[in-house]
Amino acid sequence: MRATLSRRARRVAVGGTAFVALATLAAACDYGPDGDPESLAVVGSDTTQDVMGAILASYEADTVYNDDTNIPGDDRDDLFNVLSVQPTPLTVTADEHCGDVTYHTPPGAGEVIAPNGSTAGRDALKNSPGCIDIARSSSGPRAVGTGAGQDPESFQYFAYALDAVGWSSASTAAPANLTLAQLRGIYNCTFTNWNQVGGADQAIERYYAQPGSGTRAFFQSDVLGFDPFLFSSPSCPLPIDAQENQGLTIAANGDQQSAIMPYSGANFIAMSNGVIPDQRAGQTIRNLDGQNITFNTGTSLVPNTPAASGNPAAPVQEANVRLVDSTPAYVGVRFVFNVADSASPSYNSALRYVGFDNVDSGSTSPLCSGGKASIVTSYGFGPLDGTIGPRNLAGSVCRLY
């Protein structure tokens, strides 16, 4: 049974993420209390850890939706946002499905290393049912199967926002624009100096997001179309792995004039707005095929996809996102996801916070009914609309894959 946590002070266990005020719930068809108090662990993507930390904090603060006073007994869930690199120990308290687990990077005695990145988060959800309840992912569904790097058939991906991955550099030698062919040419060692792609004379150093990163997987599959680690030469060393969406490693290595790396537009915007710590270290996102990532009223992300009207900041529709074989107007546009496992003992509770029942007018979580839109946009991500379609029959602002 669940460890007795009798009406303890309900701390906001979000791994250091700042508290965000409760957003007004927008839909009348939200899930009701389920009578099953649980501790839910959310792990995985670095790109979405801060926005999800804020969303979970708002749920923790909600004494109506996540209730322990108006319902007999204690129906309150405890929500834990485990950072991809968890600098201080965070203990996910026991419930009926799992004992206490303490996450820490690096782990000490009796501790577990935090899953770092989308791949590690999804693998943890697959391998630790009931202990890991939701995986953050900035890349889409993997092949279904039982092997390494594959998803079980029971995985459900709930897309809840838009991001876009561009290329960034702090170099004064780098050009303001690269064509997609030039970007690919840099990462396959066709071009090894900025002066070969319109910049000044300076050797190029390729940086890449750490193994297990969803940004790494997305950039490789949807932007480059190949694994850059397969290409190297005496004049083009292997790419250097660095924690995604930061320029600190590049600066520490003294490579600011030479380095190029992929970067999340939403994270870049959140850093520029001071919503999350600024780790850019001089990085700027440059144009790709003459387009860039633009702002929506100065705060959230609208990837630049020119519409027929000629508006260069026209909102991105679902058709602009490549998940299988479509070609987006801006190649780096992507969904970000929360992943739940329908075979998990905590599946129903996970849906209450990050998913919805994909039936006509079905129940939706506050996140998927639009009640957290202000948090989504404040962290730089582009919100989705509630257009009815096969991916959101409930009228949700999420998509189910």
Side-chain angles (χ1 to χ4, degrees):
M1 293 301 291
R2 188 175 199 258
T4 301
L5 304 173
S6 56
R7 299 194 184 280
R8 64 193 177 281
R10 301 292 183 174
R11 63 190 179 280
V12 177
V14 293
T17 301
F19 174 82
V20 175
L22 171 66
T24 302
L25 301 185
C29 55
D30 290 339
Y31 292 98
D34 62 3
D36 185 17
E38 296 184 72
S39 292
L40 300 183
V42 184
V43 303
S45 170
D46 176 294
T47 300
T48 63
Q49 67 182 13
D50 295 297
V51 66
M52 282 307 301
I55 288 168
L56 296 178
S58 74
Y59 280 126
E60 282 272 7
D62 185 350
T63 57
V64 176
Y65 190 78
N66 191 13
D67 187 284
D68 68 351
T69 57
N70 299 328
I71 300 166
D74 183 355
D75 185 51
R76 191 173 180 85
D77 294 325
D78 291 305
L79 311 176
F80 298 86
N81 189 51
V82 182
L83 301 182
S84 57
V85 176
Q86 183 63 49
T88 57
L90 175 63
T91 298
V92 178
T93 51
D95 63 9
E96 61 190 303
H97 307 305
C98 187
D100 287 352
V101 180
T102 299
Y103 294 93
H104 191 198
T105 308
E111 299 174 335
V112 176
I113 191 168
N116 185 1
S118 302
T119 296
R122 289 174 290 183
D123 288 346
L125 177 64
K126 176 171 64 173
N127 297 328
S128 302
C131 288
I132 302 297
D133 307 287
I134 298 165
R136 305 183 301 262
S137 183
S138 60
S139 58
R142 302 179 292 186
V144 173
T146 58
Q150 295 182 316
D151 289 335
E153 192 172 353
S154 54
F155 268 20
Q156 294 180 337
Y157 283 68
F158 294 95
Y160 65 96
L162 286 168
D163 188 16
V165 179
W167 69 276
S168 75
S169 181
S171 177
T172 56
N177 177 73
L178 289 175
T179 66
L180 181 58
Q182 288 173 329
L183 178 64
R184 290 171 172 169
I186 288 172
Y187 274 95
N188 69 18
C189 288
T190 299
F191 307 121
T192 60
N193 193 298
W194 289 121
N195 65 13
Q196 296 174 293
V197 290
D201 183 14
Q202 170 67 55
I204 300 172
E205 187 78 67
R206 301 175 299 164
Y207 274 75
Y208 219 48
Q210 80 281 0
S213 159
T215 296
R216 176 186 176 122
F218 173 83
F219 190 73
Q220 183 167 306
S221 64
D222 283 41
V223 179
L224 296 183
F226 58 83
D227 181 354
F229 282 84
L230 299 177
F231 299 87
S232 66
S233 68
S235 63
C236 187
L238 286 171
I240 298 173
D241 288 331
Q243 188 67 29
E244 62 189 291
N245 303 321
Q246 51 95 345
L248 302 179
T249 303
I250 291 171
N253 291 344
D255 286 339
Q256 288 180 292
Q257 286 301 310
S258 56
I260 183 172
M261 70 181 304
Y263 214 109
S264 157
N267 276 203
F268 189 93
I269 291 167
M271 290 178 190
S272 69
N273 292 339
V275 178
I276 62 177
D278 190 349
Q279 299 180 318
R280 293 173 294 174
Q283 295 290 311
T284 60
I285 297 179
R286 315 289 176 95
N287 284 1
L288 180 60
D289 276 339
Q291 301 183 40
N292 208 315
I293 299 164
T294 61
F295 294 89
N296 179 16
T297 64
T299 55
S300 64
L301 176 145
V302 176
N304 192 337
T305 55
S309 64
N311 176 11
V316 175
Q317 302 302 316
E318 186 167 347
N320 293 120
V321 183
R322 172 164 37 184
L323 281 177
V324 182
D325 56 6
S326 61
T327 302
Y330 182 89
V331 69
V333 179
R334 63 174 173 176
F335 286 131
V336 292
F337 304 86
N338 288 307
V339 186
D341 185 352
S342 64
S344 168
S346 54
Y347 171 67
N348 290 333
S349 290
L351 284 190
R352 295 187 69 235
Y353 297 101
V354 301
F356 63 97
D357 289 331
N358 196 34
V359 296
D360 189 32
S361 300
S363 295
T364 64
S365 63
L367 173 59
C368 289
S369 63
K372 308 298 181 183
S374 62
I375 298 177
V376 169
T377 57
S378 71
Y379 280 79
F381 293 90
L384 302 178
D385 64 27
T387 303
I388 300 298
R391 300 292 180 185
N392 56 346
L393 296 176
S396 163
V397 298
C398 296
R399 310 284 189 269
L400 173 61
Y401 286 88

